[in-house]
Amino acid sequence: MSGKNLIYIIGFMGSGKSTAGRKLAASMGWPFIDLDRKIEEVALKTIPRIFSEDGEEHFRKIESEVLRKLDNTKKTVVSTGGGTPCHGDNMDFMLQTGVTVYLKMTPGQLAKRLLDSSGERPLLKNVPDESLPGFIEEKLAHREKWYSKAEIIVDGLSLNIELLGSIVNSM
Ligand code: S3P
């Protein structure tokens, strides 16, 4: 795999990054890291609390620091947060240090998946259900310019983990 040890799974909130990352890691026999959980370990509080007590800017600072402190000497699958590639120069950093995989979904698919869990997500908790599809459409359109830089872009809904593993391995 082109001498790079890290596989970064990127994509919008609700696109299944953690589930796919965990399955990909298991199929390749590699360890798995969820960047959001790592941030919570470092900050000693949950992501909703970081947002409410310290603000988004502080969250983005920790997110960039934790991303840069990952051990890139060991083969690892890393699932990122939905906003990770879109802040600072995180996307360029990931392109340089690993293989990036974008789990792509349409706004409609994401809205369906996020309706039940939007209350747990700091960026969605104040968005009324009826405004959620429009909010997702706008945010995804804005974020697409970072997501689309990924080396591998796959349909998040019809994901074939074994196939993805072999594509990543062939790079
Ligand atoms: C965020 C997505 C979240 C988490 C934080 C911010 C975003 O991760 O990192 O709430 O900006 O899209 P998930 O994509 O796992 O929900």
Side-chain angles (χ1 to χ4, degrees):
M1 204 183 78
S2 66
K4 288 173 176 170
N5 289 322
L6 301 179
I7 300 173
Y8 297 107
I9 312 290
I10 69 167
F12 204 79
M13 291 172 268
S15 58
K17 299 179 293 292
S18 303
T19 306
R22 200 170 278 115
K23 284 187 184 162
L24 181 63
S27 88
M28 298 177 83
W30 292 17
F32 167 72
I33 289 177
D34 185 319
L35 195 68
D36 281 342
R37 301 291 81 77
K38 200 90 188 157
I39 292 168
E40 291 180 329
E41 273 171 44
V42 170
L44 298 174
K45 50 177 122 172
T46 63
I47 288 177
R49 273 190 59 204
I50 304 175
F51 269 77
S52 64
E53 292 173 11
D54 311 313
E56 180 172 353
E57 208 178 307
H58 185 69
F59 170 78
R60 297 301 173 195
K61 188 168 168 281
I62 309 177
E63 182 178 50
S64 292
E65 285 169 6
V66 173
L67 178 70
R68 278 160 184 73
K69 283 194 181 138
L70 294 173
D71 180 0
N72 62 13
T73 65
K74 283 195 206 95
K75 294 197 176 302
T76 309
V77 177
V78 181
S79 71
T80 62
T84 311
C86 319
H87 291 88
D89 55 1
N90 291 347
M91 189 63 198
D92 287 336
F93 176 80
M94 290 191 278
L95 287 165
Q96 281 158 22
T97 54
V99 172
T100 44
V101 179
Y102 171 29
L103 297 190
K104 194 175 167 99
M105 283 193 194
T106 65
Q109 291 164 345
L110 290 165
K112 225 165 146 190
R113 292 164 62 99
L114 284 166
L115 260 179
D116 288 340
S117 61
S118 60
E120 300 149 22
R121 291 181 156 93
L123 293 183
L124 303 180
K125 78 174 173 38
N126 296 322
V127 180
D129 283 359
E130 61 277 17
S131 311
L132 195 63
F135 178 89
I136 292 171
E137 189 155 2
E138 207 174 296
K139 202 152 196 73
L140 181 62
H142 174 69
R143 289 181 165 183
E144 196 66 41
K145 62 175 169 287
W146 289 281
Y147 293 158
S148 60
K149 286 186 178 182
E151 284 170 275
I152 301 173
I153 299 179
V154 289
D155 179 346
L157 267 198
S158 58
L159 190 60
N160 179 329
I161 291 292
E162 304 302 324
L163 181 62
L164 179 59
S166 55
I167 294 172
V168 167
N169 264 325
S170 71
M171 293 186 69

